[in-house]
Amino acid sequence: MAFPHPTIDVPGDWPAVRREVERVTLLDALGDELSRGLTGDHSVVAGHVCATTWILDPSASHTLLVKHPSLGWSTPGGHVERNESTRDAGLRELEEETGLTEFDVRPVLDGPAFVHATDRDGERPHRHWNVAWLYVADLDAPLSPIEGARWWPVDALPDGTADIAGKISELSALLADS
């Protein structure tokens, strides 16, 4: 795909990332498709592997979102770079976009929660294959004011977050079971 920085492109042979995707808790057809794409299967939609961090407070009543220039309010995340795991990429992006570090969040699962996709239009249409990690953070954790990170009540999410609202109940259930 030849993105400006060294990303993990799909299709491609990426065994370490494929092993992470095979550990997804809520595995569905999209996760299966990404797994095939990470073996070089050219029938899979071309794109880049990204990582997203889904942050809930301990009671699962709030989620942390960031203001993205083209996506609007979204979960923190971004491209996974070569020689980086999706977990490490998600934590890197979390710190860049919110100021929270791995010491401010607690993982809920031993692997990714699920896979979701964002299709990009424009001059170079492609897919962002998002490997989603679930964490818990306290509402009083210090956020960076630079990127516009903000806690939102899960029952009053901003417009444009249909995919987020649809996953919150599943993630809340995972948190309750942990």
Side-chain angles (χ1 to χ4, degrees), residues 16-163:
V17 175
R18 187 179 71 249
R19 283 191 296 275
E20 280 186 310
V21 171
E22 289 170 349
R23 292 179 31 233
V24 166
T25 299
L26 302 172
L27 192 61
D28 59 11
L30 203 55
D32 288 337
E33 185 177 356
L34 174 56
S35 189
R36 286 194 329 273
L38 294 168
T39 66
D41 182 339
H42 286 276
S43 70
V44 172
V45 176
H48 309 288
V49 177
C50 296
T52 56
T53 52
W54 292 63
I55 310 295
L56 294 172
D57 74 308
S59 69
S61 64
H62 289 77
T63 189
L64 183 62
L65 302 176
V66 295
K67 185 73 169 174
H68 188 275
S70 61
L71 299 174
W73 288 100
S74 67
T75 56
H79 290 94
V80 178
E81 297 180 3
R82 293 181 187 185
N83 301 314
E84 185 176 44
S85 69
T86 61
R87 179 186 181 280
D88 290 344
L91 289 170
R92 174 181 48 78
E93 292 286 346
L94 178 68
E95 184 171 3
E96 290 173 6
E97 296 177 5
T98 71
L100 296 181
T101 70
E102 65 181 300
F103 303 106
D104 298 309
V105 298
R106 297 173 300 285
V108 175
L109 307 165
D110 290 333
F114 63 96
V115 172
H116 58 116
T118 306
D119 291 319
R120 304 298 303 214
D121 297 327
E123 186 177 312
R124 293 177 23 192
H126 63 282
R127 174 168 284 178
H128 285 170
W129 290 96
N130 301 298
V131 179
W133 289 82
L134 176 60
Y135 295 93
V136 171
D138 297 323
L139 288 170
D140 61 357
L143 301 176
S144 167
I146 297 170
E147 294 291 330
R150 178 174 166 206
W151 287 100
W152 288 87
V154 297
D155 60 355
L157 295 173
D159 288 340
T161 56
D163 65 325

